[in-house]
Amino acid sequence: MDQAEKRISEGSAYGRGPQHWDREITEVGPGTPCGEFMRRYWHPVAVSEIVVSRPQNVRILGEDLILFRDGKGRVGLLYPRCAHRGTTLYYGKVDEAGIRCCYHGWQFDVQGKCIDMPCEPDNGARVREKIRQPWYPVEELYGLVWAYMGPPEKKPVLPRWDVFENLGPNEKMVATGSSTGAGGDDTVEIVPCNWLQDWENIMDPFHIPILHTSFSGVQFVPEMGIMPDVTWDHTELGMRYIAHRKIEEGREMDRVTLALFPHVRIVPDVRLIEGTAQRIGWVVPVDDTHFRLFHAARVPLDWKGRVPTREKPWSEMSEQERQDKPGDWEAQVGQGPISFHSEEHLASSDKGVAMLRRLMKKQIQIVREGGDPMGVTFDPAKAVNKVEAGNFYRSDAVTA
Ligand code: FES
Ligand SMILES: [Fe+2]
């Protein structure tokens, strides 16, 4: 054994190999394999109610864009650099017809059509139709603004979800765009690590008894501390796990959690309240090293907000408190801006993570070859997806 081999066998930190992440499944910019795969789906980009006439910057899939609502209530999502001489439309003003650039007043509608050029003869009537500010299509649904940033000819139907359809008179939808579901809180929107670290965590049921129940005290309910029997499998839209727990003699349950393409997470109630999940999350990549979580939920009209899982909001915790009682934020952001896959040692409990990555690589390959990945449909009759996640108690459980 030479010196180098000896160091490796002893686990010396000196002379470690080069670190790298799996670029194929993490990087989301235009033209990257994962970025092109992502661009075949609709993404939530904002909570509808905060989209007003004042333009705002949004960053998504590594692209900077300007989001606004015109006086007719239509939402626009435009490339920021004005088609004239490139100043940002962030300083623009919005009226009934669209957004007007601050510099020379060119005005664009929500589809980027140039509708006014005040410094040109005849307001540019003869030239403006040649000008188009780059734009993306948007729709609004479940209290969220959705954008499609892919090839126009491949624009799929915006998915709907059966659990959000046909609300009763005492129910409403709520939409959020904060980091609460990733261990942060309502005051923090962007989580500083790669989106995959959060999404693949959804297929990792074994961190729940450790991180959320023993290491940091009980963040959900004590029953989560029971080590589950887990099966993972593929579904029509992605993957699921079923975590079986024997809560006590005669009381057993299955917790079914879904990770659906491209970044949908459906996590049943963490207090193990019975029933189908009524809340859906989307882990939207801001860029390669940041993500933002959006959620939509069906709740009673008198709903008072989510029960906190941490004693204090994340932003009010000291570093010591975060060390003493870490949560998802610390675990996921703690993996680094993009986790080094070259240094991982996946074990049997990571089967879901490994399966999810493999299935995603397959979808990326399908897109690369010109096909349509899982969960994409062009048929409006197939727009409604069924949610099969939830906490299901086995009423017929027998004592062993
Ligand atoms: S740079 Fe926008 S109108 Fe001139
Ligand atoms: Fe977690």
Side-chain angles (χ1 to χ4, degrees):
M1 195 184 283
D2 67 15
Q3 282 302 325
E5 283 167 343
K6 189 162 181 289
R7 283 200 302 263
I8 290 166
S9 79
E10 287 172 352
S12 168
Y14 175 77
R16 300 183 311 282
Q19 301 164 311
H20 58 86
W21 55 82
D22 188 338
R23 301 182 60 183
E24 188 187 16
I25 53 174
T26 50
E27 297 180 5
V28 295
T32 60
C34 186
E36 290 306 304
F37 152 76
M38 284 278 177
R39 282 168 175 76
R40 296 301 184 82
Y41 298 86
W42 287 89
H43 303 274
V45 296
V47 174
S48 274
E49 64 184 16
I50 62 116
V51 182
V52 293
S53 61
R54 184 179 290 281
Q56 34 190 307
N57 289 313
V58 296
R59 187 163 163 78
I60 175 166
L61 302 180
E63 296 186 44
D64 289 310
L65 299 163
I66 298 291
L67 182 68
F68 63 94
R69 188 186 296 278
D70 74 13
K72 293 202 172 80
R74 299 171 299 193
V75 176
L77 185 64
L78 304 183
Y79 179 67
R81 303 192 74 249
C82 175
H84 180 217
R85 274 174 38 214
T87 197
T88 173
L89 296 177
Y90 178 73
Y91 298 109
K93 272 203 175 58
V94 175
D95 66 15
E96 286 285 301
I99 188 166
R100 187 180 296 280
C101 178
C102 69
Y103 207 177
H104 316 92
W106 288 20
Q107 190 178 21
F108 306 99
D109 73 6
V110 293
Q111 297 194 336
K113 288 187 194 123
C114 186
I115 51 177
D116 192 19
M117 292 178 169
C119 307
E120 297 302 310
D122 239 355
N123 289 70
R126 274 165 296 151
V127 289
R128 65 178 186 239
E129 71 181 31
K130 294 200 195 82
I131 302 292
R132 197 81 183 246
Q133 184 68 17
W135 66 289
Y136 286 125
V138 294
E139 287 193 31
E140 290 186 87
L141 181 66
Y142 306 136
L144 295 168
V145 172
W146 301 78
Y148 174 71
M149 298 168 62
E153 69 282 6
K154 286 285 189 184
K155 186 175 86 175
V157 172
L158 176 60
R160 305 182 73 95
W161 302 88
D162 64 347
V163 292
F164 295 160
E165 301 291 308
N166 306 317
L167 261 59
N170 295 316
E171 293 178 300
K172 63 177 179 181
M173 291 296 301
V174 291
T176 56
S178 78
S179 61
T180 309
D185 64 42
D186 289 339
T187 67
V188 184
E189 290 179 345
I190 293 184
V191 185
C193 70
N194 184 259
W195 70 280
L196 184 62
Q197 282 150 233
D198 186 82
W199 192 53
E200 66 184 13
N201 166 269
I202 301 305
M203 283 296 107
D204 171 12
F206 287 102
H207 83 283
I208 297 177
I210 307 301
L211 178 70
H212 295 303
T213 321
S214 55
F215 194 97
S216 301
V218 175
Q219 292 179 332
F220 304 152
V221 287
E223 290 82 351
M224 284 292 211
I226 301 165
M227 211 44 91
D229 287 325
V230 181
T231 52
W232 291 270
D233 39 23
H234 296 169
T235 68
E236 210 185 318
L237 304 174
M239 264 193 72
R240 71 172 175 185
Y241 75 67
I242 304 174
H244 176 72
R245 283 183 173 85
K246 190 169 168 185
I247 306 284
E248 57 195 7
E249 284 304 308
R251 193 152 173 266
E252 300 183 24
M253 67 157 316
D254 291 314
R255 182 172 161 78
V256 182
T257 301
L258 300 171
L260 311 178
F261 291 109
H263 48 44
V264 184
R265 39 173 274 180
I266 312 186
V267 177
D269 188 285
V270 292
R271 289 156 302 155
L272 298 180
I273 291 169
E274 174 145 35
T276 304
Q278 304 287 301
R279 184 167 178 259
I280 298 180
W282 294 268
V283 188
V284 181
V286 168
D287 53 29
D288 294 345
T289 53
H290 299 84
F291 72 86
R292 184 162 177 202
L293 261 189
F294 287 95
H295 276 98
R298 176 183 190 144
V299 297
L301 271 189
D302 60 357
W303 189 69
K304 302 275 187 305
R306 283 173 62 75
V307 180
T309 57
R310 306 184 83 153
E311 286 155 20
K312 264 189 194 180
W314 178 84
S315 53
E316 291 171 22
M317 290 170 77
S318 67
E319 275 309 296
Q320 286 75 8
E321 286 170 325
R322 291 176 189 158
Q323 276 188 308
D324 290 343
K325 295 193 170 184
D328 282 315
W329 180 291
E330 287 69 34
Q332 293 169 28
V333 176
Q335 289 173 303
I338 311 180
S339 190
F340 295 124
H341 300 110
S342 60
E343 296 182 344
E344 288 179 337
H345 297 88
L346 297 189
S348 67
S349 51
D350 301 305
K351 187 174 170 188
V353 169
M355 279 174 74
L356 191 64
R357 291 180 188 173
R358 269 199 306 274
L359 194 58
M360 184 160 66
K361 282 174 183 255
K362 212 165 146 188
Q363 307 316 305
I364 290 170
Q365 185 60 22
I366 288 170
V367 170
R368 209 187 259 137
E369 289 167 358
D372 302 314
M374 282 174 111
V376 158
T377 180
F378 304 96
D379 180 0
K382 292 188 185 143
V384 181
N385 293 324
K386 191 167 163 46
V387 171
E388 285 162 331
N391 297 314
F392 305 111
Y393 287 80
R394 298 187 181 183
S395 52
D396 57 349
V398 287
T399 45

